[in-house]
């Protein structure tokens, strides 16, 4: 079981996962690539003067490579997750930082995309909640439109699902679930799963 799965509560499931867009790695990639090119150029030039220079240059290549790998691993471990109950931000490699907002506390979602962001499918998402934090800002995340729509769909499904269910309420709940399915708020798979859970309560 992975770290994310251990964070989930009972009957909670992951619906969508994204992370910062790859363009956020572009500056450090270009810098490290430029440094590597300079090192290789000096190594080739040094080979004409003394044999040890190429080997010394290859050793210096470990610095930009290590710098890039550090940023890449940090980027890869930063995730934005939508579950059927909340929105989570998880970051950190060894020391983890987890923040989440319950879907029922989400008041509004603001998404901003530049022209380049629309072309490459990234953008900023601001989640306005009723909690003390107030606003969560996820910058340059990949697939922001899908992230936003998934979160709002799950919020709608969550708000229409009662906290406690009595056996006599099951027929009406099945009708409401079918309505959610027809409106595209929940998938056919989610509908079947919820339907089985409701029918099991009648037994």
């Amino acid at each position: 079981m992975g770290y994310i799965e251990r964070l989930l509560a009972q009957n909670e499931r992951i619906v969508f996962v994204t992370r910062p867009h790859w363009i956020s790695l572009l500056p450090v990639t270009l810098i490290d690539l430029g440094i590597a090119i300079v090192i290789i150029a000096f190594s080739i030039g040094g080979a004409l003067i003394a044999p040890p220079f190429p080997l010394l240059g290859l050793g210096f290549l470990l610095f930009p490579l290590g710098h890039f790998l550090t940023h890449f691993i940090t980027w890869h471990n930063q995730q934005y997750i939508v579950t059927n109950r909340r929105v989570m931000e998880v970051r950190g490699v060894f020391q983890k930082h987890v923040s989440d907002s319950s879907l029922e506390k989400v008041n509004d979602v603001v998404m901003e995309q530049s022209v380049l962001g629309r072309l490459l499918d990234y953008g900023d998402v601001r989640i306005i909640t009723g909690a003390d934090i107030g606003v969560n800002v996820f910058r340059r995340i990949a697939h922001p439109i899908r992230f936003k729509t998934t979160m709002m769909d799950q919020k709608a499904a969550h708000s229409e699902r009662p906290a406690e269910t009595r056996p006599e309420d099951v027929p009406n709940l099945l009708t409401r679930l079918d309505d959610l399915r027809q409106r595209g708020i929940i998938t056919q798979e989610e509908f079947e799963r919820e339907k089985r859970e409701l029918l099991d309560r009648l037994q």
Side-chain angles (χ1 to χ4, degrees), residues 95-162:
Q95 183 176 350
K96 293 289 188 180
H97 174 82
V98 181
S99 61
D100 58 67
S101 300
S102 174
L103 290 174
E104 59 188 14
K105 293 182 179 179
V106 174
N107 294 331
D108 201 1
V109 181
V110 179
M111 184 189 70
E112 296 180 357
Q113 279 187 296
S114 63
V115 175
L116 184 60
R118 292 179 62 186
L119 292 174
L120 299 180
D121 195 18
Y122 73 86
D124 298 341
V125 175
R126 290 192 301 150
I127 302 174
I128 304 172
T129 69
D132 295 335
I133 298 177
V135 178
N136 294 327
V137 182
F138 301 154
R139 300 192 182 279
R140 288 186 176 180
I141 70 170
H143 317 302
I145 296 177
R146 187 177 172 190
F147 179 85
K148 179 178 182 285
T149 55
T150 300
M151 180 172 54
M152 299 310 294
D153 288 346
Q154 292 301 314
K155 174 179 170 61
H158 181 78
S159 63
E160 295 191 27
R161 190 178 299 124

Side-chain angles (χ1 to χ4, degrees), residues 6-191:
R6 294 200 298 270
L7 296 173
L8 302 179
Q10 186 177 7
N11 297 325
E12 185 178 13
R13 64 184 182 278
I14 295 173
V15 181
F16 182 68
V17 180
T18 189
R19 56 172 46 88
H21 194 267
W22 59 263
I23 201 170
S24 61
L25 280 174
L26 189 58
V28 69
T29 301
L30 294 177
I31 291 173
D32 290 333
L33 182 61
I35 293 174
I37 291 174
V38 170
I39 291 174
I40 292 173
F42 272 101
S43 299
I44 294 175
L48 303 176
I49 302 174
F53 274 96
L55 295 177
L56 186 61
L58 291 176
F60 280 118
L61 281 176
L62 294 176
F63 290 100
L65 178 61
H67 184 257
F68 172 77
L69 287 177
T70 299
H71 281 77
F72 177 82
I73 293 172
T74 301
W75 168 83
H76 189 267
N77 281 273
Q78 185 169 354
Q79 296 176 298
Y80 305 106
I81 302 165
V82 178
T83 76
N84 59 325
R85 294 186 181 181
R86 53 182 164 158
V87 181
M88 295 191 293
E89 178 187 12
V90 180
R91 48 188 169 90
V93 181
F94 301 106
Q95 183 176 350
K96 293 289 188 180
H97 174 82
V98 181
S99 61
D100 58 67
S101 300
S102 174
L103 290 174
E104 59 188 14
K105 293 182 179 179
V106 174
N107 294 331
D108 201 1
V109 181
V110 179
M111 184 189 70
E112 296 180 357
Q113 279 187 296
S114 63
V115 175
L116 184 60
R118 292 179 62 186
L119 292 174
L120 299 180
D121 195 18
Y122 73 86
D124 298 341
V125 175
R126 290 192 301 150
I127 302 174
I128 304 172
T129 69
D132 295 335
I133 298 177
V135 178
N136 294 327
V137 182
F138 301 154
R139 300 192 182 279
R140 288 186 176 180
I141 70 170
H143 317 302
I145 296 177
R146 187 177 172 190
F147 179 85
K148 179 178 182 285
T149 55
T150 300
M151 180 172 54
M152 299 310 294
D153 288 346
Q154 292 301 314
K155 174 179 170 61
H158 181 78
S159 63
E160 295 191 27
R161 190 178 299 124
E164 296 183 359
T165 305
R166 298 174 299 176
E168 56 268 28
D169 295 331
V170 170
N172 289 333
L173 291 175
L174 287 174
T175 302
R176 294 177 63 184
L177 277 174
D178 186 59
D179 179 61
L180 291 174
R181 179 184 61 81
Q182 293 180 14
R183 288 160 55 190
I185 295 177
I186 62 175
T187 64
Q188 180 67 33
E189 181 182 357
E190 290 172 327
F191 170 76

